[in-house]
């Protein structure tokens, strides 16, 4: 393996990033090429999870951010892939994405996941494969339900860790439905209990 890692050639990624309760961890910058391969993956993913939105600090809040801040909390529900795509920040100001079969409301991270954001490719989509393979390319997205069965053990571990990170930082909305699967009926009590637990 080359002595140069994806982050070693840039001072921007050498600084001491730490997880913060104020800022959710974000994926790597999109201008990094050739990251969609397993070589050195564990080290890259570990570094990735330590980064925060401070790395892209100073992004001005646009009209979308103002509209997003005014949105009420979303009630618990499940989504098909087609339904999830409606929440891409363009057709709808709310932004959702799925990780490991769980759907999260990432609207408060709209400067990253919104239409103009560097990670907008994940908006309204299942981001599991992209996060697992450290890939911000369209090749990491599937138009059909992705069961992730071809991912290796390290990649699946990464998906589970990302799921936990998103669950800590964003509102969990519901499940991503498999083909033919029926959505669950959630009571107001279940919805309120979950939201209270996250606060």
């Amino acid at each position: 393996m080359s002595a140069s890692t994806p982050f070693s050639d840039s001072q921007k990624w050498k600084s001491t990033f730490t997880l913060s309760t104020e800022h959710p961890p974000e994926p790597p910058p999109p201008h990094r090429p050739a990251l969609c391969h397993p070589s050195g993956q564990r080290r890259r993913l570990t570094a990735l999870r330590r980064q925060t939105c401070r790395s892209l600090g100073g992004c001005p809040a646009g009209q979308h951010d103002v509209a997003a801040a005014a949105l009420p909390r979303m009630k618990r529900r499940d989504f098909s892939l087609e339904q999830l795509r409606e929440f891409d920040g363009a057709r709808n100001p709310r932004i959702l994405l799925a990780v490991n079969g769980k759907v999260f409301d990432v609207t408060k991270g709209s400067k990253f996941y919104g239409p103009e954001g560097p990670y907008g490719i994940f908006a309204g989509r299942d981001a599991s494969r992209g996060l697992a393979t450290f890939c911000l390319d369209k090749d990491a997205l599937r138009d059909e339900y992705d069961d992730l069965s071809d991912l290796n053990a390290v990649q699946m571990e990464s998906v589970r860790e990302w799921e936990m990170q998103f669950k800590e930082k964003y509102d969990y909305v519901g499940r991503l439905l498999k083909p033919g699967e029926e959505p669950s009926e959630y009571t107001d009590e279940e919805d309120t209990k979950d939201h209270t637990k996250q606060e």
Side-chain angles (χ1 to χ4, degrees):
M1 184 174 188
S2 170
S4 176
T5 67
F7 300 132
S8 65
D9 60 350
S10 171
Q11 289 299 319
K12 182 176 180 181
W13 302 103
K14 282 185 177 179
S15 56
T16 57
F17 292 117
T18 56
L19 281 177
S20 164
T21 55
E22 297 176 36
H23 302 288
E26 302 298 339
H31 63 275
R32 286 294 185 191
L35 293 180
C36 304
H37 58 80
S39 178
Q41 187 176 53
R42 182 182 290 275
R43 178 171 47 185
R44 288 198 301 272
L45 289 169
T46 299
L48 169 63
R49 282 188 287 273
R50 290 177 180 160
Q51 295 165 11
T52 71
C53 61
R54 291 177 191 162
S55 65
L56 296 172
C59 299
Q63 291 182 341
H64 183 277
D65 298 304
V66 175
L71 290 174
R73 205 164 232 167
M74 192 171 198
K75 284 189 173 290
R76 179 72 66 83
R77 58 169 284 197
D78 298 334
F79 297 82
S80 66
L81 274 175
E82 185 177 352
Q83 291 169 331
L84 183 64
R85 288 193 191 110
E86 297 173 15
F87 298 90
D88 61 0
R91 289 170 282 187
N92 188 312
R94 194 181 299 276
I95 306 169
L96 305 180
L97 61 78
V99 180
N100 200 24
K102 310 289 193 309
V103 177
F104 298 95
D105 186 341
V106 298
T107 307
K108 65 183 180 182
S110 60
K111 65 183 176 182
F112 298 102
Y113 298 104
E116 304 301 321
Y119 318 112
I121 190 172
F122 291 144
R125 304 299 294 260
D126 182 357
S128 304
R129 181 172 295 274
L131 294 172
T133 59
F134 202 66
C135 185
L136 289 174
D137 192 84
K138 286 186 178 180
D139 290 341
L141 301 176
R142 297 288 186 267
D143 290 326
E144 303 296 328
Y145 183 84
D146 189 356
D147 63 7
L148 308 175
S149 59
D150 60 323
L151 297 185
N152 61 38
V154 173
Q155 291 167 335
M156 284 308 301
E157 178 187 350
S158 175
V159 171
R160 287 187 288 272
E161 289 175 358
W162 272 111
E163 177 191 339
M164 293 306 298
Q165 293 284 355
F166 274 91
K167 198 164 188 178
E168 288 175 11
K169 304 297 180 182
Y170 296 108
D171 288 337
Y172 167 65
V173 178
R175 297 179 301 126
L176 181 63
L177 299 171
K178 299 175 183 177
E181 188 176 12
E182 292 295 320
S184 300
E185 293 290 335
Y186 296 102
T187 65
D188 289 339
E189 184 179 337
E190 287 177 301
D191 190 54
T192 304
K193 182 179 179 182
D194 183 71
H195 284 157
T196 303
K197 188 165 52 177
Q198 289 186 9
E199 289 175 345

